[in-house]
Amino acid sequence: MIGKSLFATAALAFLAANPAMAQTAPSQTEPKSDSLTQQGAQAVADFLHGKRTAEEVFSPGFLAVVPKSQIQALAAKLADQFGPFDAVASVEEKNPNQGIVTLRYAKATIAGPITIDNGGKVTGLLLNDVKPLGDSVAKVQADLEALPGEVSALSTSLDGKQSSVLEIAPDQQLAIGSTFKLYVLSALAHSIERGEHRWDEVINLSEKSLPSGQMQEWPAGAPVTLHTLASMMISISDNTATDQLIRVLGRKAIGDELRKSGHTAPAQTLPFLTTHELFALKGNPALGTQYAAAAEAGQEAILQKLDAQIKADPASIPLPTYTDPHAIDTLEWFASANDIAGIFRRIVALKDPTARQIMAISPSMSASDRERFAYVGYKGGSEPGVLNLSWLMQTKSGEWRVLTISWNDQSSPVDQGKLEMLATRLLKLSE
């Protein structure tokens, strides 16, 4: 349920963020190693070719933040997506210790800033500009369809005036993790539009959930605005902020918003759970099984008892300890790709841009790619076996577009980095 993006958590290392459309490969000429920056770029190339170790190439400070195993895993992901590494294509020096390095793979060039210390060790590397060579939507679709488990994906215009760029089982209901928070955001924004609440309305913090987030550590009773809660809920997927907003709005209001968005299977998600409730149900398998088998009225009764227990003695709630997929087909929030497009339409229709501004705080897209759009908003969600990535974008011509991909695998955790790389390829191709 964290929904944190690899773009945020692993960008210091070999992160491939947001590929461009097919480009002509740069010159095959290797740069001259006559500066620290060029030497550092060549050292990275030697590492990727297996000629030098991570300890020989990266500074101790870098390895303390991005361990050797993580660098190796990210390098392997790049090779898996873009073929074998070839060579350094170019180095654009900013000064003797900083520059932009471009690495050439079989299927892409990947560029980004690099910094070198005076001892020749790499202290920073952010590979965030990918230009695939000869890529296509058909190739990305084939790679998505080859993933184990189930995939639902949609890349399309929200106004329906243009045909979809990509569709894979767009009506299939899958678990979406923290992407459910879009329904809370939309319900809040529409409530404010009706005059029932205000963005600057202050409430006292009374809920406490589990991470992801930070607000579970805030003092009870802390005064916070609804705008702060919504911003924390979307930008860092804060679960406590989410539960507080659900309490303010009411479970029924969120369910009503889900239905108004055109959700095609509301009964699968309603009653609308708080994050703490879902943690409690997953942490108590017997209760979770009972809840999943009950009709909606029976589920409401279970939640009333559970909420009373949470309020009376939060420490008595068993916490989930699983690291593999657990009840992702019965205990979760569910939506199809078309359903997520529906809630985006509700958010686009708002006269007040505040909700869209909140979605844009953490757009999970490189700066160079964001420049291609007038607007980019993002929300994702994950737990073992569950991953959703959802972007709302407006082109500079004014067209609203959506890219959403859900991947569920009941047999094993899914590879977040792999899906994000596939998504970044599609983002450019779907422009």
Side-chain angles (χ1 to χ4, degrees), residues 297-318:
Q299 291 177 330
E300 290 278 10
I302 291 171
L303 292 181
Q304 287 180 3
K305 293 181 180 179
L306 185 58
D307 288 349
Q309 183 181 354
I310 289 173
K311 286 183 171 59
D313 187 7
S316 70
I317 303 296

Side-chain angles (χ1 to χ4, degrees), residues 254-381:
I254 314 296
D256 288 346
E257 182 63 25
L258 182 138
R259 291 189 179 94
K260 289 175 183 177
S261 71
H263 195 289
T264 53
Q268 196 166 351
T269 292
L270 302 180
F272 206 93
L273 296 169
T274 67
T275 66
H276 203 159
E277 288 167 345
L278 186 66
F279 282 127
L281 292 172
K282 293 222 177 194
N284 185 337
L287 183 62
T289 299
Q290 179 187 353
Y291 178 87
E296 186 169 346
Q299 291 177 330
E300 290 278 10
I302 291 171
L303 292 181
Q304 287 180 3
K305 293 181 180 179
L306 185 58
D307 288 349
Q309 183 181 354
I310 289 173
K311 286 183 171 59
D313 187 7
S316 70
I317 303 296
L319 303 181
T321 58
Y322 59 89
T323 56
D324 291 319
H326 176 70
I328 66 172
D329 59 335
T330 55
L331 295 176
E332 245 280 355
W333 302 272
F334 299 91
S336 69
N338 276 327
D339 291 336
I340 292 174
I343 194 62
F344 277 154
R345 287 190 185 92
R346 292 278 294 171
I347 292 171
V348 166
L350 290 161
K351 295 177 182 178
D352 179 1
T354 304
R356 296 188 292 276
Q357 292 168 351
I358 288 170
M359 285 181 58
I361 294 172
S362 182
S364 199
M365 187 181 291
S366 72
S368 62
D369 278 331
R370 288 200 302 274
E371 291 174 357
R372 297 166 40 232
F373 297 96
Y375 168 87
V376 177
Y378 172 82
K379 187 71 191 83

Side-chain angles (χ1 to χ4, degrees), residues 153-174:
L154 180 65
S155 175
T156 193
S157 171
L158 279 182
D159 60 16
K161 293 180 180 178
Q162 297 186 30
S163 59
S164 298
V165 173
L166 177 143
E167 291 187 6
I168 301 174
D171 294 317
Q172 184 173 4
Q173 295 291 316
L174 292 178

Side-chain angles (χ1 to χ4, degrees), residues 145-316:
E145 291 174 338
L147 295 172
E150 300 173 290
V151 172
S152 175
L154 180 65
S155 175
T156 193
S157 171
L158 279 182
D159 60 16
K161 293 180 180 178
Q162 297 186 30
S163 59
S164 298
V165 173
L166 177 143
E167 291 187 6
I168 301 174
D171 294 317
Q172 184 173 4
Q173 295 291 316
L174 292 178
I176 59 172
S178 282
T179 302
F180 87 88
K181 294 167 186 176
L182 290 172
Y183 292 99
V184 182
L185 176 67
S186 186
L188 172 63
H190 281 92
S191 176
I192 289 171
E193 194 163 80
R194 292 190 298 268
E196 299 166 355
H197 292 284
R198 302 185 322 275
W199 288 111
D200 62 357
E201 180 180 337
V202 177
I203 61 106
N204 294 318
L205 195 62
S206 61
E207 300 299 311
K208 181 169 291 201
S209 185
L210 305 178
S212 62
Q214 301 172 353
M215 295 187 75
Q216 70 277 0
E217 304 298 336
W218 289 22
V224 290
T225 66
L226 298 185
H227 190 288
T228 296
L229 290 169
S231 298
M232 296 288 278
M233 173 179 71
I234 298 298
S235 65
I236 65 169
S237 211
D238 194 293
N239 288 332
T240 292
T242 304
D243 288 2
Q244 187 69 66
L245 285 173
I246 293 174
R247 296 303 184 197
V248 168
L249 296 168
R251 195 191 307 276
K252 181 180 181 300
I254 314 296
D256 288 346
E257 182 63 25
L258 182 138
R259 291 189 179 94
K260 289 175 183 177
S261 71
H263 195 289
T264 53
Q268 196 166 351
T269 292
L270 302 180
F272 206 93
L273 296 169
T274 67
T275 66
H276 203 159
E277 288 167 345
L278 186 66
F279 282 127
L281 292 172
K282 293 222 177 194
N284 185 337
L287 183 62
T289 299
Q290 179 187 353
Y291 178 87
E296 186 169 346
Q299 291 177 330
E300 290 278 10
I302 291 171
L303 292 181
Q304 287 180 3
K305 293 181 180 179
L306 185 58
D307 288 349
Q309 183 181 354
I310 289 173
K311 286 183 171 59
D313 187 7
S316 70

